[in-house]
Amino acid sequence: MKCATPDSWVEQASKPENLDVVLLDHLICELKAAQSAMFLIRKYAVDKDSGDALLAWLKPFEDFTYRKEGNWKELINHNSLSKSMLPKSGTPYGQELIEKMVLLIKEELHHFYQVLEIMEENGVAYKNITSSRYAKGLLTHVTNHEPDTLIDKLICGAYIEARSCERFAKLAPHVDKRLGDFYVSLLRSEARHYQDYLSLAEDIAGHDISERINFFGDVEAKLILEPDNDFKFHSGLPV
């Protein structure tokens, strides 16, 4: 990353009156991270049957989040994949993509459940909120021809995970011990997710992609440092 999170964001995020939006946006970010990884596997690595199994895996989480169906406490029983994922023939990177993204999905859905637990402890009711500009701001710059599209999406995924990791680390000392300990517990997996995305991008490209990584680094830093009147977990400079 090319910049640190501004202190003014940490100040806003640690205010008790902003706990609701921080937790709600964190919750949605965990699901979207799982969905993004699932999309990559379905589009680039597996056949229709395996893709359908992935959809079924995420469905209870999506039903709760988008349709307010089901009891969140039952989601802990749904974080498993119903079948083994086998790569499509002729996809040289398919197995590596499957292995890393399936692990990522499993961990993101576990974190999703953990956020719901903390929300209940703090009396934060689930409600729909709008997404921040951050992920869309990165993905807008993804090219539209393969395999560069996939490589760009993996680089964007790496930046999103790296920024999440950095923000959890910066915010942890400024919130209560329970929440701070939770954020610290996420650091290892978030860092590995960032590394997995980046190594996949480099392996699939088969050549130096530092110029593209640098390009998205500039885009990401601009999103973090520019004024932003929509306070969220990945928002920019608070207005």
Side-chain angles (χ1 to χ4, degrees), residues 16 26 53 103 126 129 146 152 191 193 223:
H26 179 186
L103 176 59
Y126 175 73
I129 60 171
E146 299 290 0
D152 279 359
H193 295 168
L223 288 165

Side-chain angles (χ1 to χ4, degrees), residues 67-82:
R67 291 171 280 279
K68 296 185 178 179
E69 296 176 2
N71 183 338
W72 71 266
K73 292 182 179 179
E74 295 176 3
L75 292 175
I76 197 169
N77 302 316
H78 293 285
N79 195 6
S80 60
L81 195 51
S82 63

Side-chain angles (χ1 to χ4, degrees), residues 50-142:
S50 293
D52 289 345
L54 286 165
L55 287 173
W57 183 14
L58 261 68
K59 188 176 186 302
F61 296 86
E62 294 173 331
D63 284 344
F64 172 81
T65 305
Y66 302 126
R67 291 171 280 279
K68 296 185 178 179
E69 296 176 2
N71 183 338
W72 71 266
K73 292 182 179 179
E74 295 176 3
L75 292 175
I76 197 169
N77 302 316
H78 293 285
N79 195 6
S80 60
L81 195 51
S82 63
K83 62 172 289 185
S84 298
M85 297 285 107
L86 298 175
K88 289 186 287 191
S89 59
T91 308
Y93 50 79
Q95 191 61 49
E96 184 184 13
L97 185 66
I98 290 168
E99 289 174 359
K100 288 181 175 175
M101 293 298 101
V102 165
L103 176 59
L104 184 146
I105 293 169
K106 188 179 291 288
E107 291 179 336
E108 302 291 17
L109 294 180
H110 177 58
H111 299 161
F112 181 91
Y113 187 85
Q114 289 179 298
V115 177
L116 283 168
E117 287 182 316
I118 289 177
M119 284 170 58
E120 179 170 81
E121 291 169 17
N122 286 275
V124 177
Y126 175 73
K127 64 181 180 181
N128 293 324
I129 60 171
T130 57
S131 299
S132 71
R133 68 184 187 184
Y134 180 76
K136 186 177 181 180
L138 282 170
L139 294 169
T140 298
H141 297 276
V142 169

Side-chain angles (χ1 to χ4, degrees), residues 102-201:
V102 165
L103 176 59
L104 184 146
I105 293 169
K106 188 179 291 288
E107 291 179 336
E108 302 291 17
L109 294 180
H110 177 58
H111 299 161
F112 181 91
Y113 187 85
Q114 289 179 298
V115 177
L116 283 168
E117 287 182 316
I118 289 177
M119 284 170 58
E120 179 170 81
E121 291 169 17
N122 286 275
V124 177
Y126 175 73
K127 64 181 180 181
N128 293 324
I129 60 171
T130 57
S131 299
S132 71
R133 68 184 187 184
Y134 180 76
K136 186 177 181 180
L138 282 170
L139 294 169
T140 298
H141 297 276
V142 169
T143 190
N144 59 5
H145 52 273
E146 299 290 0
D148 293 339
T149 302
L150 172 57
I151 294 163
D152 279 359
K153 286 181 177 178
L154 291 168
I155 293 171
C156 288
Y159 273 110
I160 292 169
E161 296 289 342
R163 180 60 64 186
S164 297
C165 186
E166 187 250 10
R167 290 207 157 171
F168 288 137
K170 288 202 80 167
L171 191 52
H174 300 278
V175 294
D176 67 73
K177 186 177 187 305
R178 167 76 169 100
L179 188 56
D181 287 349
F182 174 54
Y183 287 157
V184 170
S185 76
L186 299 178
L187 298 181
R188 182 175 295 179
S189 59
E190 297 294 320
R192 192 184 66 257
H193 295 168
Y194 141 71
Q195 293 161 354
D196 283 349
Y197 269 120
L198 208 53
S199 66
L200 275 167

